[in-house]
Amino acid sequence: MGNFLAGKVVAVTGAGRGIGRAVARAAAAEGAEVVVNDYGVGIGGGEPTSEIAEAVVKEITAAGGEAVAVADDISTMAGGRRVVDTALARYGRIDGVVCVAGILRERMLFNMSEEEWDPVVATHLKGTFTLFRAASAVMRRQGSGTLIGFTSGNHQGSVAQANYSAAKGGIISLVRSAALGLAKYGVTANAVAPVARTRMSANVPMELKEIGEPEDVAALVTYLLSDRAVAAGGEKITGQVYTIAGPKIAVWAQPRELRAAYAEGSWTPEKIAGFLPGTVGTDPMPMLAQLEAMARAAAAEDRPNAQRPE
Ligand SMILES: NC(=O)c1ccc[n+]([C@@H]2O[C@H](COP(=O)([O-])OP(=O)(O)OC[C@H]3O[C@@H](n4cnc5c(N)ncnc54)[C@H](O)[C@@H]3O)[C@@H](O)[C@H]2O)c1
């Protein structure tokens, strides 16, 4: 066992499987006392069972670590609060919160139902808020703490998961808001966009070129939870979004205006039509270009087959 997180208390949601489980195990192995939360649901969010969280607690204690299970649904305020309250009741403080819990309900936007939209946004986005809300109130009093949200490269957009993509974009804004609002209390907030082999990534229709294991993601989260998460300039790392995909770690740009232009007088649609294309213009969407390239490659592959003699 290492001591990256010695003396810290860390709560991890969605810690019964996949990346959350790896994060909980890694945090415990680095000396943290860990609250293992998992509602124990199927990939679409149904059929909860408390056994999933309890099994990970057993793994951690068998390895000599310290952990407690909370099998609540973190998309409810009561569930989020119970995770934080359990940390306080059992270990007396909360130093880190890692919101990993997630589900998928894939559907094209034009066919998506309210039952496919609401639970996905509730699990990812509200499920991050419920933990951040409860933990930040304690961390503010402590004068320290770290909040970590889980986003995805899909926050850039998704063909058949608008619900998931919108929630993941929301998590980035929530994390940056937490970083801004809590900086003066010594509390940091960052987001992780992982690519790792789990039941969820097995569900992705296209082949992922850069992919790693949940343990790679856990190493980054452990680092971000630790006192060593300090930038080259000496300041605590906060308000950042990191991708980790196998051997690669990348930082995402802060959202910023790309290009601006000004005109005299008031705007009309006609004036904008003559002005905008040649000045402000557009910022080409990389994922759209990728889709078009994939469609071209698929068409090129089909062509020889189509011409193959009988
Ligand atoms: N695996 C990847 O490559 C990948 C890529 C991008 C983003 N992510 C994100 O990383 C996170 C973890 O993904 P994973 O691949 O480990 O998924 P996973 O399906 O293996 O694990 C998710 C866990 O969350 C739990 N959960 C679901 N709803 C819950 C709720 N309401 N309350 C508490 N627990 C709940 C599930 O029971 C499950 O154990 C997710 O937020 C996912 O969107 C994963």
Side-chain angles (χ1 to χ4, degrees):
M1 290 218 281
N3 64 357
F4 243 78
L5 302 178
K8 292 194 188 288
V9 178
V10 173
V12 187
T13 75
R17 290 190 190 88
I19 294 168
R21 171 172 168 267
V23 169
R25 287 164 51 109
E30 290 292 339
E33 293 166 314
V34 181
V35 181
V36 173
N37 161 260
D38 204 294
Y39 196 31
V41 289
I43 198 147
E47 296 164 40
T49 163
S50 60
E51 284 165 22
I52 304 286
E54 280 154 17
V56 173
V57 168
K58 281 196 191 119
E59 288 174 11
I60 289 173
T61 48
E66 173 57 40
V68 60
V70 177
D72 283 52
D73 173 2
I74 49 74
S75 71
T76 67
M77 293 305 281
R81 167 141 288 286
R82 195 132 46 230
V83 173
V84 173
D85 284 350
T86 302
L88 298 179
R90 180 88 170 225
Y91 304 123
R93 54 187 292 121
I94 181 92
D95 300 290
V97 153
V98 190
C99 298
V100 193
I103 61 169
L104 291 179
R105 293 193 184 179
E106 187 166 321
R107 189 81 60 199
M108 293 302 286
L109 179 60
F110 40 80
N111 288 326
M112 188 172 285
S113 68
E114 195 174 2
E115 290 70 35
E116 286 159 343
W117 175 271
D118 283 351
V120 170
V121 174
T123 305
H124 290 274
L125 183 53
K126 187 175 172 193
T128 303
F129 165 68
T130 65
L131 266 289
F132 278 21
R133 166 68 182 86
S136 63
V138 182
M139 290 173 173
R140 178 183 169 215
R141 286 196 296 276
Q142 278 177 186
S144 66
T146 301
L147 304 169
I148 298 182
F150 263 66
T151 183
S152 160
N154 267 8
H155 77 269
Q156 299 172 93
S158 164
V159 172
Q161 296 178 338
N163 47 2
Y164 180 82
S165 176
K168 291 307 198 187
I171 286 170
I172 293 179
S173 296
L174 173 57
V175 160
R176 295 209 207 272
S177 299
L180 281 175
L182 297 166
K184 70 172 176 186
Y185 303 109
V187 178
T188 60
N190 293 290
V192 172
V195 191
R197 282 181 200 92
T198 66
R199 68 173 187 173
M200 194 181 277
S201 59
N203 246 40
V204 173
M206 62 192 209
E207 192 198 340
L208 296 163
K209 284 200 197 86
E210 291 176 316
I211 188 163
E213 301 305 324
E215 287 69 25
D216 300 323
V217 184
L220 174 64
V221 172
T222 301
Y223 164 76
L224 289 173
L225 287 169
S226 78
D227 297 334
R228 299 273 297 278
V230 173
E235 69 280 11
K236 284 184 187 176
I237 294 178
T238 194
Q240 304 302 308
V241 181
Y242 291 108
T243 279
I244 179 151
K248 180 179 91 172
I249 295 184
V251 66
W252 288 80
Q254 297 290 338
R256 51 174 70 91
E257 289 177 356
L258 178 64
R259 204 177 298 115
Y262 298 82
E264 297 282 325
S266 48
W267 292 109
T268 64
E270 187 57 40
K271 189 166 166 185
I272 292 173
F275 181 85
L276 183 145
T279 53
V280 179
T282 60
D283 184 19
M285 193 180 178
M287 289 187 82
L288 197 55
Q290 221 174 306
L291 270 185
E292 284 161 5
M294 280 164 63
R296 275 197 303 276
E301 245 171 56
D302 278 354
R303 220 169 291 137
N305 291 346
Q307 289 167 357
R308 196 178 295 147
E310 291 290 300

